[in-house]
């Protein structure tokens, strides 16, 4: 199936949509003042070593200190590959030490960036591993003959280079000249990074990953890619220049979009973004998904909704689950959901139905470039899976916690708040002796006090022997109120 890539460029933001059969499958965004850090190399300074957690904090110049675990130190990766015992972090790092590190996970929430000293630099065909002699092949190249041939070709031109490589999926079918050119580019880049590290203070940036548009050409373009439309003439020219050097095979697919309609409107991308921020995803059959993202994990609940089209109840459930499997695989890519994901399909008694749903799910997930694992149905009827998380989800990029409900997803009812206010006035009447109590609250609270709760308010006034007045504060949210002593 052909995939088209739309690149919308503005001075403040670049957005990329991958569209297949008219439906948006993936969204990527990069704001000029909020560029991600994954892949960047830094000369950092160790600020604290925590032996109890076998971790250390490293200052790399970001707002929060970054974090490195003992398992992400290249010395221990080498030892683990030979079966040797892991060296404790306190024997490898000390406070004040300069350290070349690479960001492997962007800061998420209150957590700082995660680092590694096992450096890797990605090219079009190859990923260069300067400290690891291993040559690996992408798991998506399934033919064993192709894997062996690619490994032998890479070993031939590596020469006396002690570094290793991971051969990317794009290398399948590449010529020797293309592989050699990628190797030369990566070696030259690594040499310049090493020279820079010798003269820079700590903390400082040694290497910044490519722009979003360049990463699209490097990582997303494949045999199924159709047209790459860019709505900025200058960005189109920049991508053509970059592609001429590194990805000449995609030159004829990069086109400048000059239509009158905004580029994203041609595929209803903005509408798709709005739907991707909703908890509910409607299925064509009438069923729906409910997606809830929490700090620890993401849950997906499947419901039949208004779908009653099956021959019997089991058939209805089976068809809903099959449709849900395809839809949720798309939603994971679209929303960029990562970490632990729990899928709650509608209960199925038939083992054959469960196997068919799992097969359909795995088939739909196979289009995703992100690494993931999927388990079978648990005893509770849940499917557990993981999807590698390297950047914020779409919701975390575009939204922030609700200041009213503090991201709980609900607020206390007006009646609950009325009774809370009455209790608060009773408490304060025992400590203070004002002439009057005045309640400042939202319209909903004041209306309830004037109507259904008026008797309780009058009873309180009689009990404490003080008048209680009401005043609407239009700027207050439902949960905000003040009690003024006059």
């Amino acid at each position: 199936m052909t995939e088209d890539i739309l690149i919308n460029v503005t001075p403040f933001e670049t957005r990329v949509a991958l569209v297949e059969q008219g439906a948006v499958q993936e969204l990527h965004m990069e704001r000029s003042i909020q560029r991600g850090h994954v892949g960047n190399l830094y000369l950092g300074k160790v600020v604290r070593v925590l032996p109890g957690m076998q971790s250390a904090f490293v200052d790399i110049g970001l707002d929060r200190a970054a974090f490195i675990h003992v398992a992400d130190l290249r010395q221990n990766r080498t030892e683990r590959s030979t079966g040797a015992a892991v060296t404790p972090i306190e024997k490898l790092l000390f406070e004040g030490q300069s350290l070349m590190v690479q960001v492997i996970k962007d800061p998420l929430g209150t957590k700082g960036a995660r680092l590694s000293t096992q450096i890797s630099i990605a090219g079009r065909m190859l990923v260069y591993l300067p400290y690891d002699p291993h040559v690996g092949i992408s798991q998506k190249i399934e033919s064993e003959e192709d894997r062996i041939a690619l490994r032998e070709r890479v070993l031939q031109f590596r020469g006396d280079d002690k570094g290793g490589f991971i051969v990317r999926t794009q290398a399948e079918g590449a010529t020797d000249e293309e592989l050699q050119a990628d190797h030369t580019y990566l070696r030259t880049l690594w040499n310049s990074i090493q020279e820079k590290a010798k003269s820079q203070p700590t903390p400082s940036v040694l290497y910044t990953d490519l722009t979003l548009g360049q990463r699209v050409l490097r990582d997303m373009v494949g045999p199924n890619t159709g047209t790459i439309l860019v709505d900025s003439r200058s960005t189109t020219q920049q991508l053509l220049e970059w592609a001429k050097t590194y990805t000449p095979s995609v030159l004829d697919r990069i086109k400048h979009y000059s239509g009158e309609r905004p580029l994203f409107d041609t595929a209803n991308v903005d509408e798709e973004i709005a739907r991707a921020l909703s908890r509910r995803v409607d299925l064509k059959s009438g069923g729906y998904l409910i997606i809830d993202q929490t700090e620890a994990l993401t849950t997906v609940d499947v419901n039949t909704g208004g779908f009653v089209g099956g021959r019997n109840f089991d058939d209805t459930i089976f068809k809903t689950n099959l449709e849900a499997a395809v839809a949720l695989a798309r939603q994971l890519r679209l929303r960029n959901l990562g970490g632990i994901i729990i899928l709650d399909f509608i209960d199925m008694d038939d083992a054959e139905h469960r196997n068919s749903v799992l097969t359909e799910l795995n088939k739909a997930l196979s289009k995703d470039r992100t690494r993931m694992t999927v388990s079978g149905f648990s005893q509770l009827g849940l499917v557990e899976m993981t999807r590698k998380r390297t950047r914020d989800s779409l919701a975390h990029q575009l939204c922030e916690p609700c200041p009213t409900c503090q991201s709980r997803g609900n607020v206390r009812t007006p009646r609950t708040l009325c009774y809370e206010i009455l209790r608060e006035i009773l408490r304060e009447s025992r400590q203070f002796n004002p002439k009057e109590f005045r309640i400042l609250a939202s319209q909903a609270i004041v209306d309830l006090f004037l109507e259904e709760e008026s008797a309780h308010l009058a009873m309180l006034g009689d009990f404490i022997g003080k008048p209680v007045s009401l005043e609407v504060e239009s700027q207050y949210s439902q949960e905000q109120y003040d009690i003024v002593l006059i």
Side-chain angles (χ1 to χ4, degrees):
M1 263 179 224
T2 303
E3 299 174 339
D4 292 323
I5 296 175
L6 313 181
I7 303 179
N8 166 234
V9 182
T10 58
F12 47 85
E13 183 181 55
T14 299
R15 302 187 298 171
V16 175
L18 188 148
V19 180
E20 181 184 292
Q21 291 187 317
V24 182
Q25 303 295 324
E26 286 185 34
L27 285 165
H28 299 266
M29 299 183 187
E30 183 175 84
R31 290 173 176 169
S32 54
I33 61 171
Q34 292 179 328
R35 281 195 65 183
H37 307 286
V38 171
N40 291 359
L41 292 177
Y42 295 87
L43 187 63
K45 182 178 182 180
V46 179
V47 293
R48 193 177 178 193
V49 179
L50 304 172
M53 295 177 63
Q54 283 298 290
S55 305
F57 288 108
V58 183
D59 179 14
I60 58 173
L62 302 182
D63 292 339
R64 290 189 297 272
F67 170 87
I68 190 165
H69 188 263
V70 68
D72 293 317
L73 295 170
R74 67 171 181 270
Q75 296 92 329
N76 280 324
R77 291 198 171 193
T78 304
E79 289 174 354
R80 280 190 299 173
S81 64
T82 59
V86 173
T87 305
I89 196 166
E90 61 269 24
K91 293 187 177 180
L92 297 172
L93 300 182
F94 56 87
E95 290 184 14
Q97 178 181 353
S98 294
L99 197 66
M100 187 191 292
V101 292
Q102 185 169 37
V103 176
I104 56 175
K105 280 189 181 180
D106 272 327
L108 294 173
T110 58
K111 300 174 183 176
R114 182 157 181 175
L115 307 175
S116 174
T117 58
Q118 181 61 39
I119 307 300
S120 64
I121 305 173
R124 168 68 176 168
M125 310 288 176
L126 306 169
V127 177
Y128 183 51
L129 309 172
Y131 297 119
D132 186 351
H134 170 73
V135 175
I137 309 294
S138 167
Q139 293 181 351
K140 293 198 173 183
I141 300 177
E142 297 178 354
S143 168
E144 191 59 33
E145 290 182 7
D146 291 345
R147 294 171 69 87
I148 293 170
L150 277 168
R151 182 178 283 107
E152 289 177 351
R153 288 166 66 192
V154 171
L155 288 171
Q156 282 177 0
F157 67 67
R158 185 170 67 168
D160 59 354
D161 187 349
K162 296 181 180 179
F165 294 93
I166 297 172
V167 182
R168 308 185 72 181
T169 310
Q170 288 92 329
E172 195 171 18
T175 64
D176 287 343
E177 289 76 16
E178 288 174 325
L179 290 173
Q180 183 67 60
D182 216 30
H183 171 256
T184 303
Y185 160 70
L186 292 171
R187 279 290 302 160
T188 304
L189 179 58
W190 173 239
N191 289 336
S192 68
I193 290 169
Q194 286 182 302
E195 288 301 316
K196 194 174 181 181
K198 294 175 183 177
S199 58
Q200 294 293 317
T202 57
S204 59
V205 182
L206 299 177
Y207 166 75
T208 302
D209 200 13
L210 304 176
T211 65
L212 178 57
Q214 292 166 340
R215 294 200 305 274
V216 165
L217 299 186
R218 185 188 71 186
D219 301 335
M220 292 176 64
V221 177
N224 297 329
T225 303
T227 308
I228 304 167
L229 291 176
V230 189
D231 62 5
S232 162
R233 195 176 298 278
S234 60
T235 302
T236 305
Q237 194 58 41
Q238 289 169 9
L239 293 181
L240 285 169
E241 291 294 329
W242 192 86
K244 200 177 293 182
T245 305
Y246 302 112
T247 57
S249 61
V250 307
L251 273 169
D252 60 335
R253 287 179 263 184
I254 302 173
K255 309 289 183 186
H256 174 244
Y257 174 79
S258 56
E260 290 187 7
R261 290 180 66 197
L263 177 60
F264 269 26
D265 284 5
T266 61
N268 299 316
V269 179
D270 287 317
E271 293 177 18
E272 201 63 62
I273 292 173
R275 282 196 288 267
L277 297 176
S278 170
R279 290 180 68 225
R280 177 168 171 148
V281 179
D282 291 316
L283 305 177
K284 291 181 180 178
S285 65
Y288 61 93
L289 311 177
I290 296 293
I291 301 175
D292 284 312
Q293 190 178 353
T294 70
E295 189 81 15
L297 50 81
T298 298
T299 61
V300 182
D301 184 36
V302 183
N303 298 282
T304 55
F307 179 49
V308 292
R311 289 169 296 181
N312 53 54
F313 186 59
D314 288 344
D315 190 45
T316 299
I317 289 173
F318 178 51
K319 287 184 176 179
T320 303
N321 283 338
L322 282 176
E323 187 182 3
V326 176
L328 70 86
R330 174 174 172 255
Q331 289 298 320
L332 295 183
R333 294 174 69 190
L334 190 60
R335 299 171 185 238
N336 192 36
L337 297 173
I340 300 170
I341 301 165
I342 306 296
L343 313 176
D344 185 11
F345 288 102
I346 307 168
D347 289 340
M348 294 173 287
D349 295 328
D350 192 328
E352 190 174 326
H353 283 180
R354 288 197 296 271
N355 290 335
S356 296
V357 168
L358 268 181
T359 301
E360 189 69 24
L361 175 64
N362 284 310
K363 179 182 174 184
L365 291 173
S366 65
K367 300 177 182 178
D368 199 332
R369 286 183 295 275
T370 306
R371 190 172 74 242
M372 61 186 73
T373 60
V374 182
S375 69
F377 282 89
S378 70
Q379 291 182 337
L380 297 176
L382 305 174
V383 174
E384 300 171 8
M385 65 172 289
T386 61
R387 186 173 184 270
K388 187 177 180 182
R389 176 166 52 194
T390 56
R391 57 191 174 91
D392 277 343
S393 67
L394 185 68
H396 283 161
Q397 284 181 289
L398 302 180
C399 305
E400 64 182 10
C402 171
T404 299
C405 72
Q406 299 301 318
S407 71
R408 300 193 308 271
N410 50 55
V411 295
R412 287 172 289 172
T413 65
R415 196 175 307 279
T416 299
L417 290 160
C418 282
Y419 294 164
E420 183 177 304
I421 292 169
L422 294 177
R423 287 193 297 270
E424 182 66 26
I425 292 175
L426 185 59
R427 274 195 301 272
E428 293 193 2
S429 69
R430 291 169 179 166
Q431 300 178 47
F432 307 103
N433 187 29
K435 293 180 181 179
E436 177 188 337
F437 289 93
R438 179 167 296 168
I439 300 170
L440 306 181
S442 64
Q443 186 71 58
I445 303 299
V446 172
D447 287 348
L448 197 60
F449 269 133
L450 291 173
E451 296 168 1
E452 297 176 34
E453 297 299 331
S454 58
H456 290 146
L457 185 63
M459 286 172 60
L460 177 67
D462 292 341
F463 181 77
I464 63 175
K466 305 287 181 182
V468 180
S469 60
L470 301 167
E471 184 176 327
V472 174
E473 278 289 346
S474 58
Q475 301 300 316
Y476 279 16
S477 67
Q478 184 163 295
E479 290 199 338
Q480 282 182 287
Y481 66 84
D482 284 306
I483 299 170
V484 181
L485 281 61
I486 299 174

